[in-house]
Amino acid sequence: MTKAHVLGFPRIGAQRELKFAQEKFWRGDIDEAALTKTGADLRRTHWAWQREAGLDFVAAGDFAWYDQMLNTSVLLGAIPARFGFDAQKLTLKQYFELARGNAGQPALEMTKWFDTNYHYLVPELDAETRFDGGVDWFFYEVDEARSQGHNVKPVLIGPLTFLFLAKSKTPGLDTLSLLGRVVPAYRRILEKLAARGVEWVQIDEPILALELPQAWVEGFAPVYREFSQAGLKILLGTYFESVADHAALLASLPVAGVHLDLVRAPQQLDAFLATWPADKVLSLGVVDGRNIWANDLTASLATLQHARAQLGDKLWVASSSSLLHSPVDLGHETALDRELISWLAFARQKLSEVANLKRGLTEGTNSIGAILAASDAAQASRRSSTRIHQPAVKARVAALQARDSQRASVFGVRQQKQQAWLNLPPLPTTTIGSFPQTAEIRAARAAFKRGDLPEADYRAAMQAEIRLVVEKQEQLGIDVLVHGEPERNDMVEYFGEQLSGFAFTRNGWVQSYGSRCVKPPVLFGDVSRPTPMTVAWSQYAQSLTSKPMKGMLTGPVTILQWSFVRNDLPRSEITTQIALAIRDEVVDLEQAGIRVIQIDEPAFREGLPLKKRDWFKYLDWAGQAFRVSASGVEDETQIHTHMCYSEFNDILPAIAALDADVITIETSRSDMELLAGFGEFAYPNEIGPGVYDIHSPRVPPVDDMLRLIRKAAEVVPAERLWINPDCGLKTRGWPETEAALSTMLDATRRARAELARDGKLAADNSPYRAHEHSGNCDCAH
């Protein structure tokens, strides 16, 4: 029988209830009972929405106090021994310490979940890891949903995906070698579900969308043969890309069904329909789990009808992926105009889209006639709206020449000119952009937005904060200053608010990691910059100091990646439009006397297609967009960029081709391991590897930072090495920020003394001690 379902639902709550409860718990303002009640209330609401919309299942096990991969680790009992926790008696406090670190241990590694802006915690495994079972929270939630009368489809991260995304802490240990240990643990979980009367379980194996090594591909058949004996039906979930390369394998596996993402990879459907077994379900994800555009129900229904002609009742209707990546409820967006609202759907609305498509498919189009008519009208409105198209923007993109994406001189020439006027000491120090945003700053911004604070008073409040930030940096002895960004709510939203083609929600929050939520702009139309966006703030900051003031901008690729992007133009064209808008700002900053300008691209690698065969095309247009944004200035103007935790090694030629004068990267969590590739590649420009982790409240001692500086100097010549934190300081408090920066400056002074005395830094002979190796973070600028 045809079913309607989703692969998962956001857990944060329509008003970010989970975020606020988490943070209160961390501060000690509420106890564990109050926190767990908030979680239970949210689950109850979200399950009720799924049933009320008309779905055949509710997803259970998709809730997480911090992250679903961490949940899988604690369910399996696979937590790092270094914490000293009893996996089967783990408390919520200890769970959060795994995610956030504690006084004795740094946090687990954090990296991007495939090509999304969600971050997961990387399982930390070694030769001694056993999967003997941990806390039973997963089963409590399944029981909870069943007790509320729901037909439950539990959701699990699959064992091959879990091991593939994990990191071995034993040198030379391939995590695939642990498969024989982890499969029995999963089998026990499945048997416990079957004993509860669960009929279907969803096991997600998104690594099938990657170009997997053959050994991993060969692991699927024996694993799922073992699982087929557990006494329940398995829906194997894939998403984010085509898995057509594995169509034959998936058809042969002893599972009851497979899910496909037809939003990201519609072309894969025919490869499956051609040979799909008659006894297996094929779940088709036609409602976008990752973007906010209302579904074209007529087009989706046509796709489903085509598939149903072959599949019959073995066709299921679904979201493309978990709705984790969508805001919760459009019903709270009372400020958006009616036309724009008609173009959008958040997670709760997507539940109805899935259910309506099933209804139209099984009961006929007349059963949803009015709904189809409204959908068709919204699609037509969006295609024809004059607010979307700016002929002048399109003409400017078409007129771009090769010289528009090239600096006037090569780096060596620029470097000499920049050093001449900057006159910086060895190992120059800077920060990544933002400084702590206090409750007072946020309140002033909010009051100004509401109209409760006059513009003159708002400007005075922001300028007072800028003065404070500049004074503190000068007292610390930082060499290249920033203005601290008190006026900015978010490093993308701030710019989108001042660019044409963007709209903004009030409650369009999505989880990035833990309690960190972001509210991506809605990029619905052609992009241009009507007026300067940052010049006045940077100019004011520069007037307060004789030291160089760094202008802070977000780059075109990151603005694209961290927005809900229109789906009616190629992403390359949208990014070029944004690049031209940023270029205008860069030129205006230079003309205003700001000669050091940072264009942040933390999402540059995040945008890579999941399949390497598609990388070249992306890197070509993404790199060109950055160079277009940066190449309108004179040689003397120093262009910086910042990139977050990422596996850079395989794209270093593309990063070098950006031709930024200075790149700052996050490296402290990997103990400078991430920097090694830059040395092997002989990266030609200047580099600032982060020497402390801003995502942890821990302030490392000076010896730790000095050790990292020495390790960096083994890879990067001292004359091209900068010293800075890993990322922006927006989310930190002032006491820890001042303490950490003071320590960073002390370590830098000691390193400079070594250079002056010996002509080099002392070698670091300490054993490798990193506990994590992180991928892209969410910049706190």
Side-chain angles (χ1 to χ4, degrees):
M1 179 179 176
T2 296
K3 305 283 189 184
H5 71 115
V6 294
L7 274 66
F9 198 82
R11 53 231 187 199
I12 60 173
Q15 303 293 329
R16 294 179 290 163
E17 293 92 338
L18 183 60
K19 166 193 172 64
F20 297 123
Q22 286 170 317
E23 292 173 353
K24 287 178 181 177
F25 179 72
W26 296 340
R27 292 193 303 266
D29 295 343
I30 62 172
D31 60 13
E32 185 171 315
L35 176 60
T36 55
K37 181 180 185 304
T38 298
D41 290 345
L42 288 170
R43 291 191 297 272
R44 178 183 291 275
T45 296
H46 299 160
W47 289 330
W49 287 350
Q50 291 172 59
R51 183 168 65 182
E52 291 163 5
L55 300 189
D56 293 286
F57 300 103
V58 302
D62 56 340
F63 180 87
W65 294 111
Y66 203 96
D67 164 61
Q68 71 267 18
M69 283 290 280
L70 179 60
N71 274 23
T72 308
S73 294
V74 302
L75 173 63
L76 295 169
I79 61 176
R82 63 185 172 90
F83 281 91
F85 298 155
D86 184 335
Q88 296 183 349
K89 297 179 180 178
L90 192 76
T91 66
L92 261 182
K93 179 178 182 294
Q94 291 171 333
Y95 171 94
F96 287 127
E97 287 178 4
L98 293 171
R100 305 177 72 229
N102 58 30
Q105 293 293 333
L108 287 168
E109 172 188 345
M110 182 171 67
T111 194
K112 289 291 176 77
W113 180 246
F114 295 84
D115 60 349
T116 74
N117 191 32
Y118 176 79
H119 303 66
Y120 72 93
L121 290 165
V122 179
E124 189 177 300
L125 310 178
D126 58 38
E128 304 304 316
T129 301
R130 296 292 181 268
F131 303 91
D132 296 330
V135 288
D136 286 338
W137 302 342
F138 174 81
F139 300 106
Y140 297 161
E141 290 167 19
V142 171
D143 293 344
E144 184 181 26
R146 288 171 58 81
S147 72
Q148 293 169 24
H150 299 300
N151 188 20
V152 178
K153 172 171 59 68
V155 178
L156 285 165
I157 301 294
L160 287 139
T161 291
F162 178 80
L163 291 178
F164 188 85
L165 298 181
K167 185 172 183 179
S168 169
K169 305 308 289 187
T170 299
L173 178 70
D174 184 351
T175 57
L176 184 59
S177 67
L178 300 176
L179 190 59
R181 298 183 198 170
V182 80
V183 166
Y186 271 85
R187 172 76 182 263
R188 291 193 295 270
I189 293 167
L190 296 178
E191 289 172 346
K192 286 183 179 180
L193 291 174
R196 284 168 161 77
V198 169
E199 180 184 11
W200 282 90
V201 62
Q202 174 187 315
I203 303 182
D204 289 349
E205 296 283 13
I207 61 167
L208 285 163
L210 307 176
E211 292 170 337
L212 281 179
Q214 188 59 30
W216 287 86
V217 176
E218 292 171 357
F220 278 86
V223 166
Y224 283 88
R225 277 199 301 270
E226 174 77 13
F227 291 173
S228 69
Q229 305 302 311
L232 72 178
K233 297 175 183 178
I234 294 172
L235 179 72
L236 193 152
T238 72
Y239 37 82
F240 299 157
E241 244 296 355
S242 171
V243 293
D245 293 347
H246 304 300
L249 168 67
L250 290 167
S252 70
L253 290 179
V255 296
V258 169
H259 172 82
L260 303 178
D261 182 343
L262 295 192
V263 174
R264 294 296 292 267
Q267 73 281 1
Q268 68 180 318
L269 177 59
D270 288 341
F272 283 87
L273 290 180
T275 58
W276 195 246
D279 62 339
K280 282 186 170 63
V281 162
L282 196 61
S283 168
L284 299 185
V286 293
V287 171
D288 195 343
R290 292 180 53 172
N291 212 332
I292 43 70
W293 303 109
N295 190 267
D296 184 341
L297 296 178
T298 296
S300 294
L301 199 54
T303 297
L304 294 168
Q305 288 167 337
H306 167 67
R308 193 168 191 255
Q310 177 175 327
L311 299 171
D313 287 345
K314 293 296 184 180
L315 168 64
W316 286 13
V317 184
S319 58
S320 61
S321 64
S322 170
L323 301 179
L324 170 71
H325 312 288
S326 294
V328 177
D329 187 3
L330 187 62
H332 293 278
E333 299 303 324
T334 56
L336 293 176
D337 64 82
R338 292 178 61 86
E339 182 183 43
L340 188 55
I341 283 282
S342 74
W343 300 346
L344 306 179
F346 290 0
R348 188 177 184 186
Q349 288 68 46
K350 292 176 187 291
L351 302 176
S352 295
E353 289 180 335
V354 171
N356 286 329
L357 284 168
K358 177 204 166 181
R359 183 178 165 199
L361 186 67
T362 58
E363 301 178 22
T365 55
N366 288 341
S367 67
I368 57 168
I371 294 169
L372 285 176
S375 172
D376 291 345
Q379 298 298 323
S381 164
R382 188 169 166 224
R383 284 192 297 269
S384 61
S385 175
T386 56
R387 68 199 295 183
I388 289 179
H389 306 289
Q390 292 188 52
V393 172
K394 290 182 169 62
R396 192 178 178 195
V397 170
L400 278 171
Q401 304 291 317
R403 64 177 180 272
D404 296 320
S405 58
Q406 297 172 356
R407 296 290 294 271
S409 302
V410 297
F411 170 70
V413 173
R414 301 197 309 265
Q415 184 184 40
Q416 291 181 8
K417 293 180 179 179
Q418 292 162 15
Q419 288 176 346
W421 77 266
L422 280 166
N423 194 29
L424 297 173
L427 307 176
T429 56
T430 190
T431 64
I432 306 303
S434 61
F435 270 76
Q437 293 218 344
T438 62
E440 292 77 15
I441 293 172
R442 294 193 297 271
R445 278 204 314 264
F448 177 60
K449 275 195 168 185
R450 292 193 306 268
D452 297 339
L453 185 67
E455 182 174 358
D457 293 348
Y458 167 73
R459 185 167 297 276
M462 297 301 105
Q463 288 181 343
E465 185 65 23
I466 291 170
R467 282 196 305 273
L468 173 69
V469 168
V470 171
E471 288 170 3
K472 287 184 179 292
Q473 290 174 91
E474 289 197 314
Q475 291 166 3
L476 287 163
I478 293 173
D479 299 306
V480 175
L481 311 189
V482 297
H483 79 286
E485 306 175 14
E487 79 286 0
R488 303 186 190 183
N489 46 6
D490 174 83
M491 66 180 293
V492 172
E493 184 174 2
Y494 174 78
F495 291 95
E497 286 176 337
Q498 300 178 80
L499 296 168
S500 67
F502 287 83
F504 295 88
T505 63
R506 286 185 175 175
N507 291 283
W509 297 98
V510 292
Q511 184 181 18
S512 182
Y513 62 86
S515 69
R516 169 74 169 158
C517 299
V518 294
K519 187 157 60 70
V522 178
L523 203 174
F524 69 87
D526 290 340
V527 177
S528 62
R529 187 201 68 148
T531 60
M533 302 178 287
T534 68
V535 174
W537 299 116
S538 293
Q539 222 173 1
Y540 174 74
Q542 183 65 84
S543 74
L544 302 173
T545 180
S546 60
K547 289 188 172 184
M549 179 60 59
K550 185 165 56 172
M552 299 300 306
L553 304 173
T554 302
V557 175
T558 298
I559 290 177
L560 176 94
Q561 287 293 130
W562 292 357
S563 298
F564 289 122
V565 182
R566 60 191 293 189
N567 54 6
D568 61 336
L569 277 185
R571 293 170 77 87
S572 56
E573 183 176 339
I574 302 168
T575 310
T576 304
Q577 292 182 5
I578 303 169
L580 286 167
I582 299 300
R583 179 188 181 96
D584 292 342
E585 188 73 10
V586 170
V587 170
D588 281 352
L589 280 168
E590 181 187 58
Q591 292 176 352
I594 306 300
R595 307 302 296 273
V596 180
I597 302 170
Q598 183 169 307
I599 307 171
D600 289 332
E601 284 291 19
F604 186 81
R605 194 188 191 284
E606 173 190 314
L608 277 175
L610 294 182
K611 291 183 167 56
K612 288 187 177 181
R613 60 184 177 236
D614 301 323
W615 283 12
F616 177 81
K617 185 176 180 181
Y618 163 78
L619 290 171
D620 182 55
W621 62 254
Q624 181 177 353
F626 178 86
R627 292 190 300 275
V628 165
S629 72
S631 295
V633 293
E634 301 296 328
D635 288 348
E636 288 80 2
T637 295
Q638 189 176 72
I639 297 294
H640 291 224
T641 191
H642 173 69
M643 293 186 178
C644 290
Y645 289 125
S646 188
E647 295 288 352
F648 293 119
N649 293 3
D650 46 9
I651 62 165
L652 279 171
I655 293 176
L658 299 179
D659 200 24
D661 298 305
V662 181
I663 181 172
T664 53
I665 56 175
E666 298 186 78
T667 52
S668 70
R669 280 197 173 193
S670 71
D671 207 53
M672 290 292 163
E673 179 186 294
L674 283 172
L675 192 60
F678 284 84
E680 294 165 5
F681 175 71
Y683 183 79
N685 298 10
E686 299 179 18
I687 307 178
V691 298
Y692 78 91
D693 175 21
I694 67 88
H695 296 94
S696 171
R698 176 177 179 263
V699 177
V702 66
D703 286 344
D704 279 12
M705 293 198 202
L706 180 59
R707 186 180 60 82
L708 291 181
I709 294 171
R710 288 169 175 161
K711 287 178 73 78
E714 293 172 4
V715 176
V716 179
E719 62 269 18
R720 291 196 281 112
L721 186 62
W722 287 65
I723 310 299
N724 44 261
D726 262 346
C727 199
L729 302 167
K730 174 182 176 179
T731 60
R732 302 267 58 96
W734 268 113
E736 67 191 86
T737 293
E738 291 188 82
L741 289 178
S742 178
T743 302
M744 184 184 85
L745 269 294
D746 286 346
T748 303
R749 283 188 281 267
R750 287 172 57 179
R752 286 172 180 165
E754 286 183 10
L755 272 178
R757 184 182 66 244
D758 304 327
K760 62 179 181 179
L761 294 182
D764 176 67
N765 297 315
S766 58
Y768 180 75
R769 53 189 262 183
H771 295 295
E772 55 271 63
H773 178 194
S774 296
N776 287 24
C777 81
D778 183 54
C779 270
H781 291 210

